[in-house]
Amino acid sequence: MLDFFTIFSKGGLVLWCFQGGPAAAATAPVNALIRSVLLQERGGNNSFTHEALTLKYKLDNQFELVFVVGFQKILTLTYVDKLIDDVHKEFRDKYRNEFQQKGTLGLLNGTFDFKDDFMRLLRDAEESSKVRAPTVMKTFEQSLKSQKTVKCMIETRGEKPKEKVKNKKNKGSKKEGAEAGTAPGKASAGDKQPSGDREELTKDEILQKNREEFFRRHMKAGEKSSKSPKPEAQKEKGKKPRVWDLENSNAKVLDYSNSATNGSTEACPVEEFDPDAALGDRNREPGRLYDLEYESDEEAEEEKVAQNPSKPSVKKGGLGGMFGMLKGLVGSKSLTREDMDPVLEKMKDHLIAKNVAAEIAVQLCESVAKKLEGKVMGTFTTVTSTVKQALQEALVQILQPQRRVDVLRDVMDAQRHRRPYVVTFCGVNGVGKSTNLAKISFWLIENGFSVLIAACDTFRAGAVEQLRTHTRRLNALHPPESHGGRTMVQLYEKGYGKDAAGIAMEAIAYARNQGFDVVLVDTAGRMQDNAPLMTALAKLIAVNTPDLVLFVGEALVGNEAVDQLVKFNKALADHSMAQTPRLIDGIVLTKFDTIDDKVGAAISMTYITSKPIVFVGTGQTYCDLRSLNAKAVVAALMKA
């Protein structure tokens, strides 16, 4: 049973609608489809789920129409795909002249009486699904067992079974079989007794020789074991801890996790280091987050021409040059899937080579194909340029998701409510969570906000000491004297082995009492398959309800990015007790300076989560933090 079927133009004008349920049942699902799929260039899959409904849609690019059908997702309706194809064909053929002659005015002023045709097509589709004959079981004559004869099932006494010896027997059994095979031949050659007695003697000889061989083999094994010397002393089971020859063997001397450092700057002395090495670019504007730089195709071509001015341009003369120029041009005809398949295959391989996850690359190319199929092209337009232009537009749209995260605006809003703005960092091991947390701290300090760093990585050795070092260096770059005696960054830690959720809660309460503007919560790195650690992360986020949950991922990953983000979101949803679970809000993309133009991880992460990339890490210093420039990423991605 269908809930609704609607036909509307890409401009948003509803041409015809069938309601199988309440009158307003189609509004919210169709709006969600437009907002989440059609506007975000995610048309690789023709199915979309919204709450309890499943929506299937089909695009008509020639007349700019969208056909959408909705039904309950618990139902399995096999005729829906056939119905939507039949309705699409029938509606196009019926109103083709009106669309071609009147254009947009035909959509505005036209009357589309399609109810009778739709009900007829619906009945035909339902009947066609019922007419299908059920699968019939095979008869005995069609089975393999019927082909076996009775003769092949009978086993004669004394006859070897027809099996592969190398799979079923060991080397010893092969030798025994060989001796058993030669013994009958010897007995028959040297004995002239009747055949019955000869067979009995042959079996006895076989048994006797087998016994002798068995005893001989075991006697040899016993002699070998007796000759082997016994160890003088058995090794003790278990491992002994290694004792290092150090001057101070007391563990308290090596314990730097002193809880007295919370809130006091005396226990964190200023560290002497080179500020130029920590800051990098001295000519930058303080507090500004620069965009990623990129080089356009025109600039790259100009540089090539400037580098090789003496190289003559090769031009083909005569008809060869003319045909070469006109090759691949489409003259006012609609694009078909066969025209685009070769180009899309090359584009898919190109995206995968640029580190885009294979699954995402396939869906992107499928989305572009659906967007262009049936579209009428201009006279002097190639298929390759058209597909490339559509793919670039889709990539830019994907990198600009629905929600934009403005951290400075949100921090100021939290200040007006007199509460700290809480950011939680999560991700797998070794992606740079603590390093980029320090970069974001430096950026916030330069914008005039005080920061409290909560050391909730109570598992990794050296995690607290790493954050303490960053705190010392940040205090050296921004001493309290430069901010009216106010300490701009402090570390809140309780050592190792403690509950991370409890430490985060205490840190937020401490920041509220002391008047800090921002709390940055550093968590332990964890693999997406580690259920206990993922449960602990979900608990930390559910208990403390941070304002922003950032997933830190490195730009080096390919297919793994999809797996990480899907499983992190799934774990947060599964282990959350809230009705609407808190998921990842944004992404921090690290190690962006190590990948050259293989920037596909940005596309994979944004596509799979529909969340924005808030920060991009581009180096080792505190100033190597950038905001994402969608055009820069797409230019690098499409670069040959």
Side-chain angles (χ1 to χ4, degrees), residues 261 264-265 268-271 273 437-438 441 445 451-454 464-478 487-492 622:
T261 58
S264 64
T265 57
C268 294
V270 175
E271 182 179 343
F273 70 102
L437 181 145
S441 300
I445 292 168
V451 178
L452 179 68
I453 300 175
V464 177
E465 287 74 23
Q466 181 184 6
L467 291 176
R468 184 177 292 124
T469 301
H470 282 304
T471 305
R472 290 172 182 168
R473 293 189 172 186
L474 291 172
N475 278 322
L477 293 170
H478 288 276
T487 303
M488 296 303 291
V489 57
Q490 289 186 17
L491 176 67
Y492 191 93
Y622 290 134

Side-chain angles (χ1 to χ4, degrees), residues 301-340:
E301 289 177 2
E302 288 176 4
E303 287 185 4
K304 287 181 181 178
V305 172
Q307 289 175 0
N308 303 318
S310 61
K311 189 175 180 180
S313 59
V314 180
K315 294 184 179 179
K316 293 183 179 180
L319 293 175
M322 180 64 69
F323 284 121
M325 184 181 68
L326 297 176
K327 185 180 179 181
L329 294 181
V330 181
S332 297
K333 74 162 193 173
S334 59
L335 275 175
T336 62
R337 191 62 182 261
E338 288 75 18
D339 297 333
M340 295 184 288

Side-chain angles (χ1 to χ4, degrees), residues 10-172:
K10 289 186 178 179
L13 183 65
V14 179
L15 306 181
W16 181 83
C17 184
F18 164 77
Q19 294 284 351
T27 307
V30 172
N31 287 339
L33 173 70
I34 295 171
R35 189 169 51 249
S36 303
V37 178
L38 301 180
L39 294 180
Q40 292 294 318
E41 301 290 347
R42 298 172 188 271
N45 189 6
N46 67 340
S47 181
F48 173 72
T49 303
H50 176 75
E51 296 178 355
L53 292 178
T54 296
L55 277 68
K56 289 200 172 186
Y57 61 94
K58 187 177 180 66
L59 303 179
D60 186 321
N61 296 304
Q62 183 178 358
F63 298 123
E64 302 290 323
L65 302 177
V66 184
F67 298 78
V68 183
V69 59
F71 55 94
Q72 296 293 322
K73 66 180 180 181
I74 60 172
L75 301 177
T76 305
L77 302 181
T78 57
Y79 61 84
V80 171
D81 292 328
K82 182 180 183 306
L83 174 65
I84 200 168
D85 290 338
D86 293 344
V87 171
H88 169 233
K89 185 178 179 181
E90 185 82 13
F91 193 82
R92 272 174 53 105
D93 294 343
K94 187 173 182 179
Y95 299 104
R96 179 187 296 272
N97 295 330
E98 194 168 346
F99 293 146
Q100 289 177 342
Q101 294 174 2
K102 299 181 181 179
T104 309
L105 292 175
L107 298 178
L108 292 172
N109 302 325
T111 56
F112 302 95
D113 186 12
F114 195 67
K115 184 176 181 181
D116 296 335
D117 297 323
F118 175 77
M119 298 306 295
R120 174 177 53 81
L121 294 173
L122 179 60
R123 284 194 302 270
D124 293 343
E126 290 176 346
E127 290 297 328
S128 65
S129 64
K130 295 177 183 178
V131 168
R132 293 179 183 176
T135 56
V136 182
M137 294 180 63
K138 290 195 296 186
T139 61
F140 178 74
E141 287 74 15
Q142 295 173 341
S143 64
L144 294 175
K145 193 172 182 181
S146 64
Q147 300 175 8
K148 293 184 179 180
T149 59
V150 179
K151 185 179 179 180
C152 68
M153 300 181 188
I154 298 175
E155 293 184 2
T156 309
R157 185 176 179 183
E159 185 180 353
K160 292 183 183 179
K162 296 180 180 179
E163 294 179 358
K164 291 184 179 180
V165 179
K166 60 182 180 182
N167 294 337
K168 299 280 183 171
K169 298 183 179 180
N170 54 19
K171 293 179 180 179

Side-chain angles (χ1 to χ4, degrees), residues 521-542:
V521 180
D522 184 32
T523 62
R526 64 206 73 210
M527 296 306 294
Q528 63 269 22
D529 298 319
N530 193 326
L533 290 180
M534 294 305 297
T535 306
L537 176 65
K539 174 189 172 185
L540 185 148
I541 293 174

Side-chain angles (χ1 to χ4, degrees), residues 353-364:
K354 293 286 187 172
N355 231 11
V356 178
E359 179 187 352
I360 306 299
V362 171
Q363 293 182 14
L364 277 170

Side-chain angles (χ1 to χ4, degrees), residues 181-419:
T182 55
K186 291 178 182 177
S188 60
D191 235 358
K192 294 184 179 180
Q193 294 182 357
S195 60
D197 297 336
R198 189 162 60 243
E199 286 180 5
E200 291 178 3
L201 291 173
T202 302
K203 290 179 182 178
D204 292 339
E205 286 179 4
I206 292 171
L207 292 173
Q208 185 65 28
K209 286 195 175 187
N210 288 345
R211 285 176 187 151
E212 289 175 3
E213 183 67 26
F214 177 76
F215 285 120
R216 193 183 304 119
R217 206 164 45 239
H218 276 269
M219 289 297 290
K220 287 180 181 179
E223 290 174 3
K224 287 181 182 178
S225 61
S226 62
K227 287 179 182 178
S228 61
K230 293 183 179 180
E232 295 179 359
Q234 294 182 351
K235 293 183 179 179
E236 295 182 4
K237 294 182 179 180
K239 291 183 179 180
K240 288 185 178 180
R242 177 177 289 183
V243 180
W244 297 95
D245 187 15
L246 298 174
E247 295 180 1
N248 296 320
S249 60
N250 191 0
K252 292 182 180 179
V253 180
L254 303 175
D255 186 11
Y256 293 96
S257 58
N258 183 12
S259 60
T261 58
N262 295 326
S264 64
T265 57
E266 297 177 359
C268 294
V270 175
E271 182 179 343
E272 295 182 0
F273 70 102
D274 185 10
D276 292 331
L279 291 177
D281 186 11
R282 277 288 191 178
N283 298 323
R284 60 182 181 78
E285 182 181 343
R288 181 180 174 185
L289 195 64
Y290 289 89
D291 289 339
L292 282 173
E293 298 177 356
Y294 76 103
E295 186 180 40
S296 63
D297 295 339
E298 290 80 6
E299 292 176 358
E301 289 177 2
E302 288 176 4
E303 287 185 4
K304 287 181 181 178
V305 172
Q307 289 175 0
N308 303 318
S310 61
K311 189 175 180 180
S313 59
V314 180
K315 294 184 179 179
K316 293 183 179 180
L319 293 175
M322 180 64 69
F323 284 121
M325 184 181 68
L326 297 176
K327 185 180 179 181
L329 294 181
V330 181
S332 297
K333 74 162 193 173
S334 59
L335 275 175
T336 62
R337 191 62 182 261
E338 288 75 18
D339 297 333
M340 295 184 288
D341 277 344
V343 182
L344 289 172
E345 189 66 26
K346 290 181 182 178
M347 290 292 179
K348 184 190 75 174
D349 295 340
H350 178 77
L351 291 175
I352 294 174
K354 293 286 187 172
N355 231 11
V356 178
E359 179 187 352
I360 306 299
V362 171
Q363 293 182 14
L364 277 170
C365 292
E366 189 68 25
S367 175
V368 170
K370 289 185 177 179
K371 182 180 178 181
L372 295 178
E373 189 174 5
K375 192 172 183 180
V376 178
M377 308 306 300
T379 305
F380 293 97
T381 309
T382 62
V383 177
T384 304
S385 62
T386 304
V387 173
K388 187 176 180 180
Q389 181 67 26
L391 184 60
Q392 285 180 341
E393 293 173 359
L395 292 173
V396 171
Q397 193 66 37
I398 287 167
L399 289 171
Q400 295 174 344
Q402 307 166 16
R403 177 175 177 261
R404 182 175 178 269
V405 176
D406 191 339
V407 177
L408 297 180
R409 181 197 60 195
D410 295 341
V411 172
M412 287 188 286
D413 185 62
Q415 274 184 329
R416 286 193 290 270
H417 292 86
R418 296 184 179 180
R419 64 173 184 84

